Amino acid sequence: MFFEQMHPDWQGYLADQRSLLSDLEKQLLEMSGFIPSAELVMRAFERDPKLIKVVILGQDPYPNPMHAIGLAFAVPVGQAKPQSLKNILRELSSDMNISISKEADIAKWADKGVLLLNTSLTTMEHKPGAHAGLGWASFTENALRKLTERQPLVLLAWGNHAKSIARNLKVAKVIESAHPSPLSASRGFFGSKPFSRANQALIEMGLEPIDWKL
């Protein structure tokens, strides 16, 4: 199921990870209370990887089952936004001079060449980090390595977890800052201008910038 849910090109990139995915799927389907739901776990891998120009790297899904949708930092339209997402939208507005509506949905970025990837694709309800040791890190870091070996892209590394992963990859451009969580946003995320800096880096690579409007 998980392997088949990926775009065919991702399946080609990650053929050597099929057994790991199968093992992860088996473990999860024997559990109750994991999030997001099984049909959303691989959502970040549904689109053509060749179109990816920017990666935004998160740690694991929001622990609220109403929030987790398989895309890092994104939540369903109509749900109250977690503070980290509010802070991302605040910085987006400031950086790009974009008006943010109540219905703003960063999941739309996934259709514009942005990979919204958590390093752990699942967790347990109300238990952040519950699946940090399940095996997802090996899978997602392998996916990032295969991606960065094939094409130039920009990686937005927010917080120490993302920074540590970025340093193990050969990425054309890494833009680091503090994490947008309420504990750290005021210590280096606000004012870091990640969106305009990513677009400038893409232009320098000869690529079209991202349309960040929501």
Side-chain angles (χ1 to χ4, degrees):
M1 176 175 59
F2 287 172
F3 187 82
E4 289 74 18
Q5 287 172 348
M6 293 193 296
H7 186 278
D9 281 1
W10 272 123
Q11 292 180 23
Y13 292 3
L14 299 171
D16 59 348
Q17 301 293 297
R18 188 166 191 159
S19 61
L20 172 59
L21 263 187
S22 179
D23 181 60
L24 287 164
E25 181 180 323
K26 182 179 179 181
Q27 291 183 69
L28 287 166
L29 295 181
E30 290 174 352
M31 300 177 188
S32 60
F34 75 87
I35 53 175
S37 56
E39 67 272 14
L40 296 177
V41 169
M42 303 304 295
R43 188 175 174 187
F45 293 91
E46 290 178 350
R47 293 165 180 81
D48 186 346
K50 296 191 298 297
L51 302 179
I52 294 169
K53 295 184 286 187
V54 175
V55 176
I56 296 178
L57 192 58
Q59 191 159 349
D60 62 349
Y62 291 119
N64 183 335
M66 300 300 292
H67 286 160
I69 60 171
L71 298 174
F73 296 108
V75 300
V77 174
Q79 285 292 319
K81 293 177 174 60
Q83 190 59 49
S84 58
L85 177 55
K86 290 181 181 178
N87 290 342
I88 290 168
L89 294 172
R90 173 180 162 182
E91 179 62 18
L92 174 68
S93 178
S94 172
D95 182 12
M96 303 296 293
N97 194 27
I98 292 173
S99 178
I100 306 297
S101 73
K102 291 183 178 180
E103 299 301 301
D105 178 16
I106 70 168
K108 293 178 181 178
W109 290 342
D111 294 319
K112 299 181 179 185
V114 181
L115 177 64
L116 299 166
L117 182 67
N118 284 313
T119 52
S120 290
L121 299 188
T122 59
T123 191
M124 298 300 290
E125 293 181 12
H126 310 298
K127 295 181 180 179
H131 289 171
L134 198 65
W136 281 122
S138 175
F139 173 79
T140 52
E141 289 184 37
N142 190 283
L144 285 170
R145 189 167 293 108
K146 296 290 178 64
L147 188 63
T148 56
E149 287 172 352
R150 284 170 167 80
Q151 63 209 56
L153 52 81
V154 179
L155 192 153
L156 301 184
W158 295 337
N160 291 333
H161 175 77
K163 292 174 187 177
S164 66
I165 292 170
R167 289 165 188 162
N168 292 325
L169 300 169
K170 294 180 180 179
V171 187
K173 178 69 174 180
V174 177
I175 297 174
E176 297 185 353
S177 76
H179 194 276
S181 79
L183 298 176
S184 57
S186 61
R187 299 200 299 269
F189 179 73
F190 291 138
S192 63
K193 299 185 179 298
F195 309 103
S196 60
R197 290 168 66 194
N199 276 357
Q200 182 58 41
L202 291 172
I203 291 168
E204 291 170 1
M205 294 175 195
L207 300 173
E208 287 292 319
I210 299 294
D211 175 8
W212 295 104
K213 292 193 297 294
L214 298 171

